[in-house]
Amino acid sequence: SKRKQAEIKNLQMGNHHTTSSTIGIDIKVPGKRIIEAPFLFQDSISDLIVYESSKLLRKYPELNASYIGTKSYGKYEDINFGWSFDNSSNLKILAIKNSDKLSLSELHLEVERLLEIYESNQNIPMELLTSSTVTISDLSRTEATFIFPLINGYQSLILGVVRKLQDHFSILATFDHRVSEGLTVAKFLSELKSRILSYYFDKDGIVSLACYACEKSITEELSLNNRGFVKITLSNGDEANLCRNCFEGW
C-alpha cells in the first residue's frame, strides 16, 4: 500500500537505515509440563516455541515472508524453521523442513537429528543451510537475560529466547517493519504465550487452557460446574478448544 511505502521510506531515513524492530513477551511457566519433554528440551521451551509458532505462521503469513522491494514482499509457501546451533566457533542455522506439519515428538527427533549433523563435522547439505524461512536463537541455557536477534537472510522474523529465572522466560521477536507491523507481532506473541502455557499444569494441578472463541480459562469453565472444553478441528487442520457456551452457540 502507499501508506506502507511511505512508512518504509521514513524508516530508511534514520542514521543506520534500519527497518527492523524487536518486541518481547515474558512467560512464567506455572508448573510441570503435562507430558515430560525429552532430555534435550528439559528446562526449556524452545521446542514449544517452534512447534506452536509453526502453526501460528499460517495465521500470520507476513511473518513467514521476505521483503522484495518498495512495492512488494513474498510469502513463503512452506514453513521451514531455522534452528540456530552455536559452539562459540561455528554458528550454523539448519532448517526444520515443513515444521508446521510435524507432531511435537517428530519435531524433537528432527532437532536431535540436525544436532547430530551439526556436531559430526561433516559437510552439511546446502539445502539445510539455505531453506529456512524463519529462525529461532535459544540462549536460555546461558546466563543471558536479553537478546537482540538479527533477522537471518531473506526472512521477516527471528525469535530469540532467554531464561531470567527457573520458571521465567522471555521471547524476543525481531521483525522486518517493511513487511509487518508491531501490533501484528504483539498479537502473534500473545497467542504464542497462551499456546505454550497450555502444555503446563498450574499450581493447582489444572491444565492452563483457554476457550478458542471467548478466551475463558479452563478454571472458569470448571467453576461453572461444566465438565471441561470440547476439542474441535479448525478449517486449517489445527485443533482448538471451545467452552460449553461457545460450542452450543450461546
Side-chain angles (χ1 to χ4, degrees), residues 5 10 21 23 56 87 112 128 132 155 201 215 244:
Q5 292 178 48
N10 290 335
S21 296
I23 295 177
L56 272 176
N87 61 9
E112 291 175 359
L128 291 179
S132 60
Q155 299 177 17
F201 293 110
E215 298 187 353
R244 178 178 176 180

Side-chain angles (χ1 to χ4, degrees), residues 30-217:
K32 295 183 178 179
R33 282 204 198 187
I34 299 170
I35 300 177
E36 186 174 357
F39 176 77
L40 185 61
F41 304 100
Q42 289 181 359
D43 301 322
S44 172
I45 61 171
S46 56
D47 58 328
L48 301 180
I49 292 173
V50 170
Y51 179 71
E52 290 298 341
S53 291
S54 297
K55 309 296 184 184
L56 272 176
L57 287 173
R58 290 300 180 193
K59 182 177 179 180
Y60 298 91
E62 67 270 34
L63 299 180
N64 187 55
S66 177
Y67 177 74
I68 295 176
T70 55
K71 295 184 179 181
S72 61
Y73 68 92
K75 299 178 182 178
Y76 291 111
E77 292 183 357
D78 296 333
I79 297 175
N80 301 331
F81 229 108
W83 197 291
S84 177
F85 296 97
D86 190 1
N87 61 9
S88 298
S89 61
N90 183 26
L91 172 63
K92 289 288 187 297
I93 296 173
L94 306 187
I96 304 171
K97 300 278 288 183
N98 297 307
S99 56
D100 60 315
K101 299 178 181 178
L102 300 179
S103 67
L104 183 58
S105 59
E106 288 172 336
L107 186 141
H108 288 154
L109 292 174
E110 181 62 7
V111 176
E112 291 175 359
R113 185 183 77 88
L114 295 179
L115 178 59
E116 291 177 0
I117 293 174
Y118 170 77
E119 293 183 336
S120 68
N121 292 322
Q122 299 177 2
N123 289 332
I124 299 175
M126 188 59 61
E127 184 181 19
L128 291 179
L129 294 170
T130 60
S131 62
S132 60
T133 62
V134 60
T135 300
I136 184 172
S137 179
D138 182 8
L139 293 182
S140 61
R141 296 185 184 277
T142 73
E143 294 185 359
T145 58
F146 179 80
I147 181 175
F148 184 80
L150 300 178
I151 293 176
N152 174 41
Y154 296 101
Q155 299 177 17
S156 63
L157 177 71
I158 181 172
L159 300 176
V161 57
V162 295
R163 187 175 189 169
K164 295 183 175 180
L165 296 171
Q166 180 70 20
D167 57 353
H168 190 177
F169 298 85
S170 289
I171 302 176
L172 289 305
T174 298
F175 65 98
D176 191 336
H177 234 302
R178 300 170 299 181
V179 176
S180 189
E181 312 279 350
L183 183 58
T184 298
V185 176
K187 290 179 178 178
F188 171 86
L189 289 175
S190 180
E191 288 193 51
L192 178 60
K193 176 179 179 177
S194 296
R195 287 174 175 237
I196 290 173
L197 290 177
S198 71
Y199 289 83
Y200 290 84
F201 293 110
D202 66 15
K203 58 183 177 60
D204 298 318
I206 298 175
V207 180
S208 301
L209 296 176
C211 174
Y212 171 78
C214 70
E215 298 187 353
K216 181 193 300 178
S217 71

Side-chain angles (χ1 to χ4, degrees), residues 10-25:
N10 290 335
L11 287 169
Q12 293 176 331
M13 289 173 64
N15 292 332
H16 302 289
H17 298 280
T18 180
T19 57
S20 63
S21 296
T22 301
I23 295 177
I25 194 168

